[in-house]
Amino acid sequence: QVQLVESGGGLVQAGESLRLSCVVSGVIFSIDVMGWYRQVPGEQRELVATITSGDMTNYADSVKGRFTISRDNAKRTVYLQMNSLEVEDTAVYYCNVKGWRTPHYWGQGTQVTVSS
């Protein structure tokens, strides 16, 4: 079983920071892409940031310059550093990983709420 365990979500005020972590456990080899997605009730899940095994990153326009994705391959962990949080960042954040020839694996989601 492949499991993704997330942590770091919570309630913060606008302008503050949070760091999300996602640890991958179970049998999965050669993890390729790791990423973070978010979803607001009534809307589709959207990509926030991804990072490849070669450390190439991609960000949604709405978070560029504020969020930073990183990974620690030895710990099989992906992070999302979120700075200058805005009310519009409020959502459930999901961790996602995909290895070579594997399906996408998802975390359970963690709530991030930003108040004004």
Side-chain angles (χ1 to χ4, degrees):
Q1 302 181 31
V2 176
Q3 294 184 334
L4 280 58
V5 180
E6 300 166 323
S7 62
L11 173 64
V12 298
Q13 292 186 322
E16 296 182 342
S17 300
L18 282 175
R19 189 181 75 160
L20 306 182
S21 300
C22 174
V23 180
V24 181
S25 64
V27 179
I28 181 171
F29 300 101
S30 186
I31 298 175
D32 186 12
V33 182
M34 309 180 81
W36 292 93
Y37 295 71
R38 66 186 182 187
Q39 187 170 26
V40 176
E43 300 182 8
Q44 291 191 328
R45 190 171 300 181
E46 66 175 358
L47 184 148
V48 177
T50 59
I51 182 168
T52 70
S53 59
D55 289 330
M56 293 181 60
T57 58
N58 184 50
Y59 298 92
D61 289 340
S62 59
V63 307
K64 287 181 179 178
R66 299 188 298 118
F67 291 10
T68 302
I69 188 170
S70 61
R71 61 192 285 171
D72 186 326
N73 293 326
K75 297 181 178 180
R76 301 214 295 181
T77 302
V78 61
Y79 306 93
L80 184 67
Q81 179 67 44
M82 304 184 293
N83 297 328
S84 301
L85 282 163
E86 304 169 354
V87 173
E88 293 74 19
D89 295 317
T90 296
V92 177
Y93 284 71
Y94 297 89
C95 178
N96 175 266
V97 301
K98 188 180 188 302
W100 185 70
R101 297 185 63 182
T102 75
H104 289 270
Y105 296 99
W106 295 92
Q108 77 287 349
T110 184
Q111 178 70 46
V112 172
T113 302
V114 184
S115 65
S116 60

